[in-house]
Amino acid sequence: IVSQFVLPALSTSMAAIDRLADAGRMRRVPARVVLFLVAHGAAAPFTLRALSERFDCVDGPLDPDRHIELATDVIMTALLDPGAAQPN
């Protein structure tokens, strides 16, 4: 599964991360970090629905689009190189 599906699926993202890291815009991170942040971290409310629903009383019901947008923003911001100049 990993060699036939997971790694090929990550290859485009990893190539982009490598290009941005070479340009000094993003941290160079291992594929494992990318996979587990995205596949388990950001996807957890969808794969662990019962646990996610326990937070409805705190955060309100899960808004899938908002969750995906926010998780993507948090992950991408964390990947930015803190020493790189920010785009205008």
Side-chain angles (χ1 to χ4, degrees):
I1 291 174
V2 172
S3 62
Q4 294 297 311
F5 176 72
V6 175
L7 294 178
L10 278 174
S11 65
T12 301
S13 297
M14 294 311 299
I17 289 170
D18 286 341
R19 283 192 306 277
L20 289 164
D22 290 344
R25 303 287 304 151
M26 185 173 272
R27 301 172 200 247
R28 191 173 308 277
V29 294
R32 177 183 292 113
V33 170
V34 173
L35 173 70
F36 286 108
L37 277 174
V38 174
H40 187 68
F46 306 105
T47 60
L48 303 171
R49 186 166 304 276
L51 177 59
S52 176
E53 289 172 352
R54 300 291 293 192
F55 287 85
D56 286 359
C57 64
V58 177
D59 300 331
L62 177 66
D63 177 342
D65 292 332
R66 176 71 181 128
H67 173 78
I68 291 166
E69 289 174 10
L70 181 58
T72 300
D73 184 54
V74 168
I75 290 168
M76 295 307 295
T77 300
L79 290 172
L80 292 176
D81 185 336
Q86 298 302 312
N88 296 326

Coordinates of all heavy atoms in Angstrom, one line a residue:
I1 N 0.8 -1.2 0.0 CA 0.0 0.0 0.0 C 0.9 1.2 0.0 O 0.6 2.2 -0.7 CB -1.0 0.0 1.2 CG1 -2.0 -1.1 1.0 CG2 -1.6 1.3 1.4 CD1 -2.9 -1.3 2.2
V2 N 1.9 1.2 0.8 CA 2.7 2.4 0.9 C 3.5 2.7 -0.4 O 3.4 3.8 -0.9 CB 3.7 2.3 2.1 CG1 4.7 3.5 2.1 CG2 3.0 2.3 3.4
S3 N 4.1 1.7 -0.9 CA 4.9 1.9 -2.2 C 4.1 2.1 -3.4 O 4.4 2.8 -4.3 CB 5.9 0.7 -2.4 OG 5.2 -0.5 -2.5
Q4 N 2.9 1.5 -3.4 CA 2.0 1.6 -4.6 C 1.0 2.7 -4.5 O 0.6 3.2 -5.6 CB 1.2 0.2 -4.7 CG 2.1 -1.0 -5.1 CD 2.8 -0.8 -6.4 OE1 2.2 -0.4 -7.4 NE2 4.1 -1.0 -6.4
F5 N 0.7 3.2 -3.4 CA -0.3 4.3 -3.3 C 0.2 5.5 -2.5 O 0.2 6.6 -3.0 CB -1.6 3.7 -2.6 CG -2.6 4.8 -2.4 CD1 -3.3 5.3 -3.5 CD2 -2.9 5.3 -1.2 CE1 -4.2 6.4 -3.3 CE2 -3.8 6.3 -1.0 CZ -4.5 6.8 -2.1
V6 N 0.6 5.3 -1.3 CA 0.9 6.5 -0.4 C 2.1 7.3 -1.0 O 2.0 8.5 -1.1 CB 1.2 6.0 1.0 CG1 1.7 7.1 1.9 CG2 0.0 5.3 1.6
L7 N 3.2 6.6 -1.2 CA 4.4 7.4 -1.7 C 4.1 8.1 -3.1 O 4.5 9.3 -3.2 CB 5.6 6.5 -1.7 CG 6.1 6.1 -0.3 CD1 7.3 5.2 -0.4 CD2 6.4 7.3 0.6
P8 N 3.5 7.4 -4.0 CA 3.2 8.1 -5.3 C 2.3 9.3 -5.1 O 2.4 10.3 -5.7 CB 2.6 7.0 -6.2 CG 3.2 5.7 -5.7 CD 3.3 5.9 -4.2
A9 N 1.3 9.1 -4.2 CA 0.4 10.2 -3.9 C 1.1 11.4 -3.3 O 0.7 12.5 -3.5 CB -0.8 9.7 -3.0
L10 N 2.1 11.1 -2.5 CA 2.8 12.2 -1.8 C 3.9 12.9 -2.7 O 4.4 13.9 -2.4 CB 3.5 11.7 -0.6 CG 2.7 11.5 0.7 CD1 3.5 10.8 1.8 CD2 2.2 12.9 1.2
S11 N 4.2 12.2 -3.8 CA 5.3 12.7 -4.6 C 5.2 14.2 -5.1 O 6.1 14.9 -5.1 CB 5.6 11.8 -5.8 OG 4.5 11.8 -6.7
T12 N 4.0 14.5 -5.5 CA 3.7 15.9 -6.0 C 3.9 16.9 -4.9 O 4.6 17.9 -5.0 CB 2.3 16.0 -6.6 OG1 2.2 15.1 -7.7 CG2 2.1 17.4 -7.1
S13 N 3.3 16.6 -3.7 CA 3.5 17.5 -2.6 C 4.9 17.6 -2.1 O 5.4 18.7 -1.8 CB 2.6 17.0 -1.4 OG 1.3 17.0 -1.7
M14 N 5.6 16.5 -2.1 CA 7.0 16.5 -1.6 C 7.9 17.3 -2.6 O 8.8 18.0 -2.2 CB 7.5 15.1 -1.4 CG 6.8 14.4 -0.3 SD 6.8 15.3 1.3 CE 8.5 15.5 1.6
A15 N 7.6 17.2 -3.9 CA 8.4 17.9 -4.9 C 8.2 19.4 -4.7 O 9.1 20.2 -4.8 CB 8.0 17.5 -6.3
A16 N 6.9 19.8 -4.5 CA 6.6 21.2 -4.2 C 7.3 21.7 -3.0 O 7.9 22.8 -2.9 CB 5.1 21.4 -4.1
I17 N 7.3 20.9 -1.9 CA 8.0 21.3 -0.7 C 9.5 21.4 -0.9 O 10.1 22.4 -0.4 CB 7.6 20.3 0.5 CG1 6.2 20.5 0.9 CG2 8.6 20.4 1.6 CD1 5.7 19.4 1.8
D18 N 10.0 20.5 -1.7 CA 11.5 20.6 -2.0 C 11.8 21.8 -2.7 O 12.8 22.5 -2.4 CB 11.9 19.3 -2.7 CG 12.0 18.1 -1.8 OD1 12.1 18.2 -0.6 OD2 12.1 17.0 -2.4
R19 N 11.0 22.2 -3.7 CA 11.2 23.4 -4.5 C 11.1 24.7 -3.6 O 12.0 25.6 -3.7 CB 10.2 23.5 -5.7 CG 10.5 22.7 -6.8 CD 9.7 23.0 -8.1 NE 8.3 23.1 -7.8 CZ 7.5 22.0 -7.9 NH1 8.0 20.8 -8.1 NH2 6.2 22.1 -7.6
L20 N 10.1 24.7 -2.8 CA 10.0 25.8 -1.9 C 11.1 25.9 -0.8 O 11.6 27.0 -0.4 CB 8.6 25.8 -1.2 CG 7.5 26.1 -2.2 CD1 6.1 25.7 -1.5 CD2 7.4 27.6 -2.5
A21 N 11.5 24.7 -0.4 CA 12.7 24.7 0.6 C 14.0 25.2 -0.1 O 14.7 25.9 0.5 CB 12.8 23.3 1.2
D22 N 14.2 24.7 -1.3 CA 15.4 25.2 -2.1 C 15.4 26.7 -2.3 O 16.4 27.3 -2.3 CB 15.4 24.5 -3.4 CG 15.7 23.0 -3.4 OD1 16.2 22.5 -2.3 OD2 15.5 22.3 -4.4
A23 N 14.2 27.3 -2.4 CA 14.0 28.7 -2.6 C 14.1 29.5 -1.2 O 13.9 30.7 -1.2 CB 12.7 29.0 -3.3
G24 N 14.1 28.7 -0.1 CA 14.2 29.3 1.2 C 12.8 29.8 1.7 O 12.8 30.6 2.6
R25 N 11.8 29.3 1.2 CA 10.4 29.7 1.5 C 9.7 28.8 2.5 O 8.8 29.2 3.2 CB 9.5 29.9 0.3 CG 10.1 30.8 -0.8 CD 9.9 32.2 -0.4 NE 8.6 32.5 -0.1 CZ 8.2 33.5 0.7 NH1 9.1 34.2 1.3 NH2 6.9 33.7 1.0
M26 N 10.2 27.6 2.6 CA 9.5 26.6 3.4 C 10.5 25.7 4.1 O 11.6 25.5 3.6 CB 8.6 25.7 2.5 CG 7.7 24.7 3.2 SD 6.6 23.9 2.1 CE 5.2 25.1 2.2
R27 N 10.1 25.2 5.2 CA 11.0 24.2 5.9 C 11.0 22.9 5.1 O 10.0 22.5 4.5 CB 10.4 23.8 7.3 CG 10.2 25.0 8.2 CD 9.4 24.5 9.4 NE 8.9 25.6 10.1 CZ 9.2 25.9 11.4 NH1 10.2 25.3 12.0 NH2 8.6 26.9 11.9
R28 N 12.1 22.2 5.1 CA 12.2 20.9 4.4 C 11.7 19.9 5.5 O 12.3 19.8 6.6 CB 13.6 20.6 4.0 CG 13.8 19.4 3.1 CD 15.2 19.3 2.5 NE 15.7 20.5 1.9 CZ 15.4 20.8 0.6 NH1 14.7 20.1 -0.1 NH2 16.0 21.9 0.2
V29 N 10.7 19.2 5.2 CA 10.1 18.3 6.1 C 10.1 16.9 5.5 O 9.9 16.8 4.3 CB 8.7 18.7 6.6 CG1 8.8 19.9 7.4 CG2 7.8 18.8 5.5
P30 N 10.2 15.8 6.3 CA 10.1 14.5 5.7 C 8.7 14.1 5.3 O 7.7 14.7 5.8 CB 10.5 13.6 6.9 CG 11.1 14.5 7.9 CD 10.6 15.9 7.7
A31 N 8.6 13.2 4.3 CA 7.3 12.8 3.8 C 6.5 12.2 5.0 O 5.2 12.4 5.0 CB 7.5 11.7 2.8
R32 N 7.1 11.6 5.9 CA 6.3 11.0 7.1 C 5.6 12.1 7.8 O 4.4 11.9 8.2 CB 7.3 10.3 8.0 CG 6.6 9.7 9.3 CD 7.6 9.0 10.2 NE 8.1 7.8 9.6 CZ 9.4 7.6 9.3 NH1 10.3 8.6 9.4 NH2 9.8 6.5 8.7
V33 N 6.2 13.2 8.0 CA 5.6 14.3 8.7 C 4.4 14.8 7.9 O 3.3 15.0 8.5 CB 6.6 15.5 9.0 CG1 5.9 16.7 9.5 CG2 7.7 15.0 10.0
V34 N 4.6 15.0 6.6 CA 3.5 15.5 5.8 C 2.3 14.5 5.8 O 1.2 14.9 6.1 CB 4.0 15.7 4.4 CG1 2.8 16.1 3.4 CG2 5.0 16.8 4.3
L35 N 2.6 13.2 5.7 CA 1.6 12.2 5.7 C 0.8 12.2 7.0 O -0.5 12.3 6.9 CB 2.1 10.8 5.4 CG 1.1 9.7 5.6 CD1 0.1 9.7 4.4 CD2 1.8 8.4 5.6
F36 N 1.5 12.2 8.1 CA 0.7 12.0 9.3 C 0.0 13.3 9.8 O -1.0 13.3 10.4 CB 1.6 11.4 10.4 CG 1.9 10.0 10.2 CD1 3.1 9.5 9.8 CD2 0.8 9.1 10.4 CE1 3.3 8.2 9.6 CE2 1.0 7.7 10.1 CZ 2.3 7.3 9.8
L37 N 0.6 14.5 9.4 CA -0.1 15.7 9.7 C -1.4 15.8 9.0 O -2.5 16.2 9.5 CB 0.7 16.9 9.4 CG 1.8 17.4 10.4 CD1 2.6 18.5 9.8 CD2 1.1 17.8 11.7
V38 N -1.3 15.5 7.7 CA -2.5 15.6 6.8 C -3.5 14.4 7.0 O -4.7 14.6 7.2 CB -2.1 15.7 5.3 CG1 -3.3 15.7 4.4 CG2 -1.3 17.0 5.2
A39 N -2.9 13.2 6.9 CA -3.8 12.0 6.9 C -4.4 11.7 8.2 O -5.6 11.3 8.3 CB -3.0 10.8 6.4
H40 N -3.7 11.9 9.3 CA -4.3 11.6 10.6 C -4.7 12.9 11.3 O -5.8 13.0 11.8 CB -3.3 10.8 11.5 CG -4.0 10.3 12.7 ND1 -5.0 9.4 12.8 CD2 -3.8 10.7 14.0 CE1 -5.4 9.2 14.0 NE2 -4.7 10.0 14.8
G41 N -3.8 13.9 11.4 CA -4.1 15.1 12.1 C -5.3 15.8 11.6 O -6.3 16.0 12.3
A42 N -5.3 16.2 10.3 CA -6.4 17.0 9.7 C -7.6 16.2 9.5 O -8.7 16.7 9.5 CB -5.9 17.7 8.5
A43 N -7.4 14.9 9.2 CA -8.5 14.0 8.9 C -9.2 13.4 10.1 O -10.3 12.8 10.0 CB -8.1 12.9 8.0
A44 N -8.6 13.6 11.3 CA -9.2 13.0 12.5 C -10.6 13.2 12.8 O -11.4 12.3 13.1 CB -8.3 13.4 13.7
P45 N -11.2 14.4 12.6 CA -12.6 14.6 12.8 C -13.5 13.8 11.9 O -14.6 13.5 12.2 CB -12.8 16.1 12.6 CG -11.5 16.7 12.8 CD -10.5 15.7 12.3
F46 N -13.0 13.4 10.8 CA -13.7 12.5 9.8 C -13.6 11.1 10.1 O -14.5 10.3 9.9 CB -13.4 12.9 8.4 CG -13.5 14.3 8.1 CD1 -12.3 15.1 8.0 CD2 -14.7 14.9 7.9 CE1 -12.5 16.5 7.7 CE2 -14.8 16.3 7.7 CZ -13.7 17.1 7.6
T47 N -12.4 10.7 10.6 CA -12.1 9.3 10.9 C -12.4 8.9 12.3 O -12.6 7.7 12.6 CB -10.6 8.9 10.6 OG1 -9.8 9.7 11.4 CG2 -10.3 9.1 9.1
L48 N -12.5 9.9 13.2 CA -12.8 9.6 14.6 C -14.1 10.5 14.9 O -14.1 11.3 15.8 CB -11.6 10.1 15.5 CG -10.3 9.4 15.2 CD1 -9.2 10.0 16.0 CD2 -10.4 7.9 15.5
R49 N -15.1 10.2 14.1 CA -16.3 11.0 14.2 C -16.9 11.1 15.6 O -17.3 12.2 16.1 CB -17.4 10.5 13.2 CG -18.6 11.4 13.2 CD -19.5 11.0 12.0 NE -18.8 11.1 10.7 CZ -18.7 12.2 10.0 NH1 -19.1 13.3 10.5 NH2 -18.1 12.1 8.8
A50 N -17.0 10.0 16.3 CA -17.6 10.0 17.7 C -16.8 10.9 18.6 O -17.4 11.7 19.4 CB -17.7 8.6 18.2
L51 N -15.5 10.8 18.5 CA -14.7 11.7 19.4 C -14.9 13.2 18.9 O -15.0 14.1 19.8 CB -13.2 11.4 19.2 CG -12.2 12.2 20.0 CD1 -12.5 12.3 21.5 CD2 -10.8 11.8 19.7
S52 N -14.9 13.4 17.6 CA -15.1 14.8 17.1 C -16.4 15.4 17.6 O -16.5 16.5 18.0 CB -15.1 14.8 15.6 OG -15.4 16.0 15.1
E53 N -17.5 14.6 17.6 CA -18.8 15.0 18.0 C -18.8 15.4 19.5 O -19.7 16.2 19.9 CB -19.9 14.0 17.7 CG -20.1 13.8 16.2 CD -21.0 12.7 15.9 OE1 -21.3 11.8 16.7 OE2 -21.4 12.6 14.7
R54 N -17.9 14.9 20.3 CA -17.8 15.3 21.7 C -17.4 16.8 21.9 O -17.6 17.3 22.9 CB -16.9 14.4 22.5 CG -17.2 12.9 22.5 CD -18.4 12.6 23.3 NE -18.1 12.9 24.7 CZ -18.9 12.6 25.7 NH1 -20.0 11.9 25.4 NH2 -18.5 12.9 26.9
F55 N -16.9 17.4 20.8 CA -16.5 18.8 20.9 C -17.6 19.7 20.4 O -17.4 20.9 20.4 CB -15.2 19.0 20.0 CG -14.0 18.4 20.7 CD1 -13.6 17.1 20.6 CD2 -13.2 19.2 21.5 CE1 -12.5 16.5 21.2 CE2 -12.1 18.7 22.2 CZ -11.8 17.3 22.0
D56 N -18.7 19.1 19.9 CA -19.8 20.0 19.5 C -20.3 21.0 20.5 O -20.6 22.1 20.2 CB -21.0 19.1 19.0 CG -20.7 18.4 17.7 OD1 -19.6 18.6 17.1 OD2 -21.6 17.7 17.2
C57 N -20.2 20.6 21.8 CA -20.7 21.5 22.8 C -19.7 22.6 23.1 O -20.1 23.7 23.6 CB -20.9 20.7 24.1 SG -19.5 19.9 24.8
V58 N -18.5 22.5 22.6 CA -17.5 23.5 22.8 C -17.4 24.4 21.5 O -17.4 25.6 21.6 CB -16.1 22.9 23.1 CG1 -15.0 23.9 23.2 CG2 -16.2 22.0 24.3
D59 N -17.3 23.7 20.3 CA -17.0 24.4 19.1 C -18.2 24.5 18.1 O -18.1 25.1 17.1 CB -15.9 23.6 18.3 CG -14.6 23.5 19.0 OD1 -14.3 24.4 19.8 OD2 -13.9 22.6 18.8
G60 N -19.3 23.8 18.5 CA -20.4 23.7 17.6 C -20.2 22.6 16.7 O -19.2 21.9 16.7
P61 N -21.2 22.2 15.8 CA -21.0 21.1 14.9 C -19.9 21.3 13.9 O -19.6 22.4 13.6 CB -22.4 21.0 14.2 CG -23.2 22.1 14.7 CD -22.5 22.9 15.7
L62 N -19.3 20.2 13.5 CA -18.2 20.3 12.6 C -18.7 20.9 11.2 O -19.7 20.4 10.7 CB -17.6 18.9 12.3 CG -16.5 18.8 11.3 CD1 -15.3 19.5 11.8 CD2 -16.2 17.3 11.0
D63 N -18.0 21.9 10.8 CA -18.2 22.4 9.4 C -17.1 21.9 8.6 O -16.0 22.4 8.7 CB -18.2 23.9 9.5 CG -18.4 24.6 8.1 OD1 -18.2 23.9 7.1 OD2 -18.7 25.8 8.1
P64 N -17.3 20.9 7.8 CA -16.2 20.2 7.0 C -15.4 21.2 6.2 O -14.2 21.1 6.2 CB -16.9 19.2 6.2 CG -18.2 18.9 6.9 CD -18.6 20.2 7.5
D65 N -16.0 22.1 5.4 CA -15.3 23.0 4.6 C -14.4 23.9 5.4 O -13.2 24.1 5.1 CB -16.2 23.8 3.7 CG -16.9 23.0 2.7 OD1 -16.4 22.0 2.2 OD2 -18.0 23.4 2.3
R66 N -15.0 24.5 6.5 CA -14.2 25.4 7.4 C -13.0 24.6 8.0 O -11.9 25.1 8.1 CB -15.1 26.0 8.4 CG -14.4 26.8 9.4 CD -13.9 28.1 8.8 NE -13.2 28.9 9.8 CZ -12.0 29.4 9.7 NH1 -11.4 29.3 8.5 NH2 -11.4 30.1 10.6
H67 N -13.3 23.4 8.5 CA -12.2 22.6 9.1 C -11.1 22.3 8.1 O -9.9 22.5 8.5 CB -12.8 21.2 9.6 CG -11.7 20.3 10.1 ND1 -11.1 20.5 11.3 CD2 -11.1 19.3 9.5 CE1 -10.2 19.6 11.5 NE2 -10.1 18.9 10.4
I68 N -11.4 22.0 6.9 CA -10.4 21.7 5.9 C -9.6 22.9 5.6 O -8.3 22.9 5.5 CB -11.0 21.1 4.6 CG1 -11.5 19.7 4.9 CG2 -10.0 21.0 3.5 CD1 -12.5 19.1 3.9
E69 N -10.3 24.1 5.4 CA -9.6 25.3 5.1 C -8.7 25.7 6.3 O -7.5 26.1 6.1 CB -10.6 26.4 4.8 CG -11.3 26.3 3.5 CD -12.4 27.3 3.3 OE1 -12.5 28.3 4.2 OE2 -13.2 27.2 2.4
L70 N -9.2 25.6 7.5 CA -8.4 26.0 8.7 C -7.2 25.1 8.9 O -6.1 25.5 9.1 CB -9.2 26.1 9.9 CG -8.5 26.5 11.2 CD1 -7.9 27.9 11.0 CD2 -9.5 26.5 12.4
A71 N -7.4 23.8 8.8 CA -6.3 22.8 9.0 C -5.3 23.0 7.9 O -4.1 23.0 8.2 CB -6.9 21.4 8.9
T72 N -5.7 23.3 6.7 CA -4.7 23.5 5.6 C -3.9 24.7 5.9 O -2.7 24.8 5.7 CB -5.4 23.6 4.2 OG1 -6.1 22.4 4.0 CG2 -4.4 23.9 3.1
D73 N -4.6 25.8 6.3 CA -3.9 27.0 6.6 C -2.9 26.8 7.8 O -1.7 27.3 7.7 CB -4.9 28.1 7.0 CG -4.2 29.5 7.2 OD1 -3.5 29.9 6.4 OD2 -4.4 30.1 8.3
V74 N -3.3 26.1 8.8 CA -2.4 25.9 10.0 C -1.2 25.1 9.5 O 0.0 25.4 9.9 CB -3.2 25.2 11.1 CG1 -2.2 24.7 12.2 CG2 -4.2 26.2 11.7
I75 N -1.4 24.0 8.8 CA -0.3 23.2 8.3 C 0.6 23.9 7.4 O 1.9 23.9 7.6 CB -0.8 21.9 7.6 CG1 -1.5 21.0 8.7 CG2 0.3 21.2 6.9 CD1 -2.3 19.9 8.1
M76 N 0.1 24.7 6.4 CA 1.0 25.4 5.5 C 1.7 26.5 6.2 O 2.9 26.7 5.9 CB 0.1 26.0 4.3 CG -0.5 24.9 3.5 SD 0.7 23.6 2.9 CE 1.7 24.7 1.8
T77 N 1.1 27.2 7.1 CA 1.8 28.2 7.9 C 2.9 27.7 8.7 O 4.0 28.2 8.8 CB 0.8 29.0 8.8 OG1 -0.2 29.6 7.9 CG2 1.5 30.1 9.6
A78 N 2.7 26.5 9.3 CA 3.7 25.9 10.1 C 4.9 25.4 9.3 O 6.0 25.4 9.8 CB 3.1 24.7 10.9
L79 N 4.6 25.1 8.0 CA 5.7 24.7 7.1 C 6.6 25.8 6.6 O 7.7 25.6 6.1 CB 5.1 23.9 5.9 CG 4.6 22.5 6.3 CD1 3.9 21.9 5.1 CD2 5.6 21.6 6.8
L80 N 6.0 27.1 6.7 CA 6.8 28.2 6.2 C 8.1 28.3 7.0 O 8.1 28.2 8.2 CB 6.0 29.5 6.3 CG 4.8 29.6 5.3 CD1 4.1 30.9 5.6 CD2 5.3 29.5 3.9
D81 N 9.1 28.7 6.3 CA 10.4 28.9 7.0 C 10.3 30.2 7.8 O 10.1 31.3 7.2 CB 11.5 29.0 6.0 CG 12.9 29.1 6.6 OD1 13.0 29.6 7.8 OD2 13.9 28.8 5.9
P82 N 10.5 30.2 9.1 CA 10.3 31.4 9.9 C 11.3 32.5 9.5 O 11.1 33.7 9.8 CB 10.4 31.0 11.3 CG 11.1 29.7 11.3 CD 10.8 29.1 9.9
G83 N 12.4 32.2 8.9 CA 13.4 33.2 8.5 C 13.2 33.7 7.1 O 13.9 34.7 6.8
A84 N 12.3 33.2 6.4 CA 12.0 33.7 5.0 C 11.2 34.9 5.1 O 10.3 35.1 5.9 CB 11.3 32.6 4.2
A85 N 11.4 35.8 4.1 CA 10.6 37.0 4.0 C 9.2 36.6 3.6 O 9.0 35.7 2.7 CB 11.2 37.9 2.9
Q86 N 8.2 37.2 4.2 CA 6.8 36.9 3.9 C 6.4 37.6 2.6 O 6.8 38.8 2.4 CB 5.9 37.3 5.0 CG 6.3 36.5 6.3 CD 6.2 35.0 6.2 OE1 5.2 34.5 5.6 NE2 7.2 34.3 6.6
P87 N 5.6 37.0 1.8 CA 5.1 37.6 0.6 C 4.2 38.8 0.9 O 3.6 38.9 1.9 CB 4.3 36.5 -0.2 CG 4.0 35.5 0.9 CD 5.0 35.7 2.0
N88 N 4.2 39.8 0.0 CA 3.4 41.0 0.2 C 2.0 40.7 -0.3 O 1.7 40.0 -1.1 CB 4.0 42.2 -0.5 CG 5.3 42.5 0.0 OD1 5.5 42.4 1.2 ND2 6.2 43.0 -0.8

